[in-house]
Structures are given as structure tokens and as C-alpha cells.
Amino acid sequence: MSDTAAPSVAVIGAGGGGGYYGARLAQAGRDVRFLLRRDYDAVRARGLRVTSPDGDFTLDRPTIARTPEEIGPVDWVICALKATAIDDAPRLIAPCLTPDTRVLALMNGLGIEERFADRLGAGRIFGGMAYTAIYRTGPGHIHHLDLGRIVIGHLRNDPDELALAKALWDGAKVPIETTASLLMTRWDKLGWNIPFAGLGVAAGGVTTDRLVGDPGLRAAARAVMEEVLAVGNADLAARGETARLDVPAIVERYFRVTDAVGAYRSSTVIDFAEGRPLEVDAILCEPLRRARALGLDVPYLALLTALLRALDPAPASPEE
Amino acid sequence: MSDTAAPSVAVIGAGGGGGYYGARLAQAGRDVRFLLRRDYDAVRARGLRVTSPDGDFTLDRPTIARTPEEIGPVDWVICALKATAIDDAPRLIAPCLTPDTRVLALMNGLGIEERFADRLGAGRIFGGMAYTAIYRTGPGHIHHLDLGRIVIGHLRNDPDELALAKALWDGAKVPIETTASLLMTRWDKLGWNIPFAGLGVAAGGVTTDRLVGDPGLRAAARAVMEEVLAVGNADLAARGETARLDVPAIVERYFRVTDAVGAYRSSTVIDFAEGRPLEVDAILCEPLRRARALGLDVPYLALLTALLRALDPAPASPEE
């Protein structure tokens, strides 16, 4: 809450992703305050432990709280809730806000930042797309498996705001990029999530190596990806953005990365396997709504959406 | 094996469908011989019991055999094996054949009759499409739930042969129709099987009421159905047949029937739930191969096929 002290950061939703990135900011000297529920006691007793190819470390005494009121007003809120909790997210972070607090939504799916903007105005809303593999392996223990890059966009694509967002991560062991089009990067990320999370669940909860290794599923993943990215370009055009997705390059990149990563379970496949609500609305339904609003025929997206809604183990409900 | 005595009929694959229809023929005085494996002892001890809205009955001492050699040559073979056993079917029925024996394939999927014809010639091969709900509920016990009509086609669409096939069922409590185009009726049946069995499995093994009751799945089922029937019409045209499927009428009929039938599990969904091999090749892969050979873009069929191949609990293997 000052220009001279370390920026204060509230991490709301400290599962794998929130916990890891918050810990990296704390390691770099930021005043990070974690909202914890189920892990509160474990972290108070033994700290927050991170295993990572970029170096293991433990925050022995991180600032933790059970309620957002205990955290109080901060400079930045990193909201890393499941997208299934989006209805409650603005209310949940409210106690951490001043009129100047900026909000980084480190969440999956489309339309997330707009939901925050409805309540808080667009000028201070950012979205973060994490290209990474991070699991919470137990109470207070996070395993960072691979990669880790975050691409940050601003809801109004303001370059000055993007520079501020990037500066927050100065000195932190996290590769940060900014995007000149948040919407383009959201669609880019969906180009991976929809085929690999969607097919991963619909094929029975399988790892990505099954999807890229089976010729039929690999062809399906490619077709889904191309369809989604085409909707993305139509959506960008309809919203007056000049940015466009380079579809062949993205397809080549995602298959190369996914071929290399081995037996990976997307967070949606893990949610499915563990009987938790799926982020179907943000990852599939919102893209489908936009495709339909544009009058596009999207058989793959329509079929996958219907299947994942049916396979969703539980109705969406607020969760940490 | 004579023109004066009752026609002899071997029923190969006496699960629900084979058992029910064979029992109805025996009830009507045909010399029916059932090939049994797991149910042999139960049927020898207590007979073959049928529960049906068209009247319950029991065959106290049906002619049963453990091997096709014991059955020996007959006038008709009704092959009601799972389509997963198609590779072994011609060999399995061989001991029951004379040069005049006719074969009725009461099996699911596309390309079944052609496989028999490869070995036995097309002139004596028939296909039967059963529009029914029949379960084997226990050893020697068959529950006929609803409907029960069989539509019979001849591989060369020969009217005289069709008349012979229909005559076999004279006096039996089974509504028999014949079709002037076996291929058209195979595609007609696939117009139900592919959406309802395919989506039923991919949506987690659900009953048909879930598929018609959920707006997203209902729309998907309709789109799959329309795509499949369009492939059927293209396949008919490519093979020089004049018959065509009336797509809107079929769609209307199938949704009306499926809306009425309630919580029904297709045989494929039952196979899936019980961990048995799925009839993926005959129901999905062969239609997909034909669509691709015709250069058609079939996103729904391609995606469902890839998913069901992945969800198939076990590699195909011969079974009764």
C-alpha cells in the first residue's frame, strides 16, 4: 500500500498455481499474503514448500490468513480461484481492494476479466495465462513440474499498465511476458485447453500422451484446435482488435510441446478424476456462446461442450 | 434340412436378441437349435424363459448344443453374435452350412453381411435390423422389454429371397418387415445407434433419457444423426442404389420413439458399463471409413469414433 515499501500482494485461491506464483513473489521480497483454508494449519506449522526444477525452496513463515478481511487492502490481488468460483470472486476479493488495487486473474477460460470489470471497472483488470504444470501434492506442498511462463494481458491492452504488471515480477524466478492483446492470448490458451482438457475428459480422463499418441484422438485434437482458433480470430475481428492468431504456427507449437511433455494430466482432467466441478463454463461454454453469437458452425466445440457438461461430476460451487 | 419338415434354424450367439427371436421361432414350431456356452447348463436344467409384453413363455426342452458341429447342417443360420466377433463368425457357423443354407446376420453395424459374403457368396446372405429392447437378465432368462420388430434385407435385394426370409417367421410372434434396400436400412439403424450409443458412452454411459433430456446433448444427437444419414445417402448413391433415406422423417421418428421409451440403455452402453468390448468397428469405424472414402467432412462421426475407440474397455475378441 505504498510507493516505497515492497508492493503488497494478496493471493486468493492458493492451490497449485496461486501458491507457486505467490511463493515466487514472496521469495523475491514482495509482501505476499495468502488466503488459505484447508492448508492454513499445515502452512502455519511447516511453512509453504515448493519443489521445482528452477530450485526447491520453503517459505518458513509466509503471511497467511483465513479471511480476505484479515489480509486487508493491498496493491495487487492475484486471483487464482477455479473458474467455477467466478460468481463469488468479486465479492471474495472486495476486502482487499482500494480504488487503486490492480487485479490479476490467473484463471482459466474466457470472459473472466470481464466479470471482474463489471464490478471494478476495466482499467485495473489483468489476465494471466500460465503455461505450466503445477500440482498441489499435499497440504502446504506444491510441485512445480515443468515450464512456468506467465503471459499477462491488460483488459484494455494499456501498455503503461502492462509495464506496471511486469514490474511486479522483477527479480522473481518466473518468466513473465506481456501480450498486446489479452483476448488473443486467452484464445491462444483455449487452443490448448479445449482440445486437450476437453478430449482428455471425454476420452475417460486420460493423460495427454494418450491424446497425441492415438491417431484418431490426435486428428480430433488438431481439428478441435483449428476450429477453436478460427473462432478466436472471428471474435477478435468482431471486437475490433487487429491482433490475429497464427493458426498453423500455434498448432505446430502445441503439438510439439505436448509431444515432449509426456504423460501430463491437465487440471481439468485432474478435477474430473477427483470428482470436482469442471471449469466447463469458462473453458467451453463461453467460447461456444461467442461462436454462436458470430453465427459460426462449430461441431467439435458443440459436441465437446455437451459431453463435458454431462460428465461434470458436480454442479459448480464456490471453492478455494 | 427338408422342404416338408419344419425348417431347421441354428441360432449362433444366443444372448438377448438371438435367444428371444430363436425362442419365438421355436414357439412357432420351427426346429430351432441354440448354440450355448455360459447358459448351457442353466437352460438344460430349467429351460429357456422369456418375459415379454407379448406374452411370457418358457421353452422347457429346447435343442441346445455346445458346439456348431453338434448342431450340424441347417436350413437357416441366425447369427446374433456381437459385431466384435465378426472375424470369427464365418468359421464358427461353417459346420451348420450346406450350399443351400441361408444366413441371417442379426447384428449391429455396417459391412457385416459383406464379411459373410466374402466367404459364402452374396446370394444367401441376409441382414436383420432389430428395433427392440431385449436384455439377458440371467442364465437362461431373457427379458423382452418393448417393441421387437425386425426389418430383414437381402444383400442383393432379391425379392424372392426376401419372401423366403419372411416366410421363415410365419406364425411367430415377431413383426417382420422386409426392406428393398438392405444398405438403406443399415444406415437407417445407424442413424439411431451412432448418436444414441455413441453419445451414451461418451457422456459417461448414460441412458437415452439423459441424452434427449439435456438440451446440449439433444442438439448434439440431432446433429450426429443428420450427419450420419447424409453419409448414408451419399453411400447409397455411390453404390448405385436408388433408395434414399428421408432424413427429416427419420430424425422426427427417432426422437419421438426415444422420447417415449424412457431410461433406456443401448446395448453399447451396457457393454461399456460392464467392461465388455464395444462394437466400435462395425457401428462407427466402418461408417467413418465410408465417409472418408467419399471425401465427406464428418466432424461429429470422426470425434465420436475417436472417443469410443479410446473408451473401449477391451480389445475386440471372439465371444458368444
Side-chain angles (χ1 to χ4, degrees), chain A residues 184-255:
Chain A
M184 181 184 75
T185 308
R186 278 281 172 212
W187 277 107
D188 177 301
K189 186 88 194 297
L190 290 167
W192 192 91
N193 274 337
I194 293 177
F196 287 104
L199 290 173
V201 170
V206 300
T207 47
T208 51
D209 56 331
R210 285 281 306 280
L211 300 177
V212 294
D214 174 279
L217 290 171
R218 187 182 183 93
R222 172 179 295 267
V224 174
M225 193 181 293
E226 290 172 344
E227 184 179 279
V228 167
L229 295 172
V231 177
N233 276 334
D235 191 39
L236 285 163
R239 287 163 199 267
E241 294 219 20
T242 53
R244 292 292 180 274
L245 297 155
D246 180 347
V247 177
I250 294 169
V251 171
E252 190 277 326
R253 165 167 54 90
Y254 277 142
F255 275 93

Side-chain angles (χ1 to χ4, degrees), chain A residues 26-203:
Chain A
Q27 188 187 32
R30 305 299 173 278
D31 168 16
V32 179
R33 310 167 191 181
F34 297 91
L35 180 69
L36 297 179
R37 286 177 192 163
R38 58 178 174 177
D39 283 9
Y40 185 91
D41 291 333
V43 172
R44 192 168 60 170
R46 296 184 299 279
L48 183 59
R49 193 153 59 91
V50 173
T51 312
S52 166
D54 300 333
D56 299 351
F57 65 104
T58 300
L59 300 180
D60 290 324
R61 269 175 233 278
T63 306
I64 61 178
R66 288 188 193 272
T67 67
E69 287 79 6
E70 289 176 64
I71 291 178
V74 290
D75 297 307
W76 281 88
V77 169
I78 296 180
C79 185
L81 294 164
K82 284 279 176 191
T84 48
I86 185 63
D87 287 343
D88 287 309
R91 180 191 55 75
L92 190 63
I93 69 172
C96 305
L97 301 177
T98 72
D100 295 325
T101 301
R102 290 172 170 82
V103 176
L104 172 63
L106 203 63
M107 299 168 70
N108 283 323
L110 198 64
I112 295 294
E113 293 82 9
E114 289 82 349
R115 296 291 297 279
F116 285 106
D118 287 344
R119 294 277 290 267
L120 310 175
R124 53 171 160 168
I125 309 295
F126 299 77
M129 284 62 68
Y131 292 78
T132 187
I134 297 170
Y135 303 118
R136 172 188 173 277
T137 50
H141 187 194
I142 291 159
H143 182 48
H144 170 226
L145 201 68
D146 202 1
L147 312 171
R149 182 171 59 107
I150 301 178
V151 181
I152 297 178
H154 179 254
L155 187 49
R156 287 188 175 153
N157 300 322
D158 181 324
D160 296 334
E161 288 291 327
L162 283 173
L164 263 176
K166 195 169 194 310
L168 175 67
W169 300 82
D170 280 350
K173 267 196 173 172
V174 178
I176 297 290
E177 296 173 19
T178 57
T179 172
S181 166
L182 173 65
L183 184 62
M184 181 184 75
T185 308
R186 278 281 172 212
W187 277 107
D188 177 301
K189 186 88 194 297
L190 290 167
W192 192 91
N193 274 337
I194 293 177
F196 287 104
L199 290 173
V201 170

Side-chain angles (χ1 to χ4, degrees), chain B:
Chain B
M1 288 304 303
S2 86
D3 294 335
T4 52
S8 53
V9 180
V11 176
I12 309 295
Y20 177 75
Y21 290 114
R24 286 293 184 192
L25 283 172
Q27 188 187 33
R30 306 298 174 277
D31 167 16
V32 179
R33 309 167 192 182
F34 297 91
L35 180 68
L36 297 179
R37 286 177 191 163
R38 58 178 174 178
D39 283 9
Y40 184 91
D41 291 333
V43 173
R44 191 168 61 172
R46 297 183 299 277
L48 182 60
R49 192 153 60 92
V50 173
T51 313
S52 165
D54 300 334
D56 298 350
F57 65 104
T58 300
L59 301 181
D60 290 323
R61 270 175 232 277
T63 306
I64 61 177
R66 288 188 193 272
T67 67
E69 288 79 5
E70 288 176 63
I71 292 177
V74 291
D75 297 308
W76 282 87
V77 169
I78 296 179
C79 185
L81 294 164
K82 284 278 176 191
T84 48
I86 186 63
D87 287 345
D88 289 310
R91 180 192 56 75
L92 190 64
I93 70 171
C96 304
L97 301 177
T98 72
D100 296 325
T101 301
R102 290 173 172 82
V103 176
L104 173 63
L106 203 62
M107 299 167 70
N108 283 324
L110 198 64
I112 296 294
E113 294 82 9
E114 289 82 347
R115 296 290 298 278
F116 285 106
D118 288 343
R119 296 275 292 267
L120 310 174
R124 52 171 161 167
I125 308 297
F126 300 78
M129 282 64 66
Y131 292 79
T132 186
I134 297 169
Y135 303 118
R136 172 188 173 278
T137 49
H141 186 196
I142 291 159
H143 182 49
H144 170 225
L145 200 69
D146 202 1
L147 312 169
R149 179 171 62 106
I150 300 179
V151 181
I152 296 178
H154 178 253
L155 187 49
R156 286 187 174 153
N157 299 323
D158 180 325
D160 296 334
E161 287 291 327
L162 282 173
L164 263 175
K166 195 169 195 309
L168 174 67
W169 300 82
D170 281 349
K173 267 197 175 171
V174 177
I176 296 288
E177 296 174 18
T178 57
T179 172
S181 167
L182 173 63
L183 185 62
M184 181 184 75
T185 308
R186 278 281 173 212
W187 278 109
D188 177 300
K189 187 88 193 296
L190 290 167
W192 192 90
N193 275 335
I194 294 178
F196 287 105
L199 290 173
V201 170
V206 301
T207 48
T208 51
D209 56 331
R210 284 282 307 279
L211 300 177
V212 295
D214 174 279
L217 291 170
R218 187 181 183 93
R222 172 178 296 266
V224 174
M225 192 181 291
E226 289 173 345
E227 183 180 277
V228 167
L229 295 171
V231 177
N233 275 335
D235 191 40
L236 285 161
R239 287 162 199 269
E241 294 219 21
T242 53
R244 292 292 180 275
L245 298 154
D246 181 346
V247 176
I250 294 169
V251 171
E252 189 278 324
R253 165 168 53 90
Y254 277 142
F255 275 92
R256 182 165 35 79
V257 169
T258 309
D259 283 338
V261 84
Y264 176 62
R265 292 201 303 168
S266 71
S267 65
T268 307
V269 168
I270 294 172
D271 288 338
F272 176 66
E274 301 194 352
R276 292 194 294 256
L278 306 182
E279 298 177 313
V280 180
D281 194 76
I283 294 179
L284 291 147
C285 298
E286 177 63 17
L288 179 59
R289 284 190 289 267
R290 294 202 187 181
R292 293 211 162 130
L294 293 164
L296 300 173
D297 184 38
V298 284
Y300 293 105
L301 181 56
L303 182 49
L304 270 186
T305 302
L307 291 175
L308 263 74
R309 285 174 58 98
L311 292 165
D312 193 353
S317 62
E319 57 173 21
E320 186 175 314

Side-chain angles (χ1 to χ4, degrees), chain A residues 251-265:
Chain A
V251 171
E252 190 277 326
R253 165 167 54 90
Y254 277 142
F255 275 93
R256 181 164 36 78
V257 169
T258 310
D259 283 338
V261 83
Y264 176 63
R265 292 203 303 169

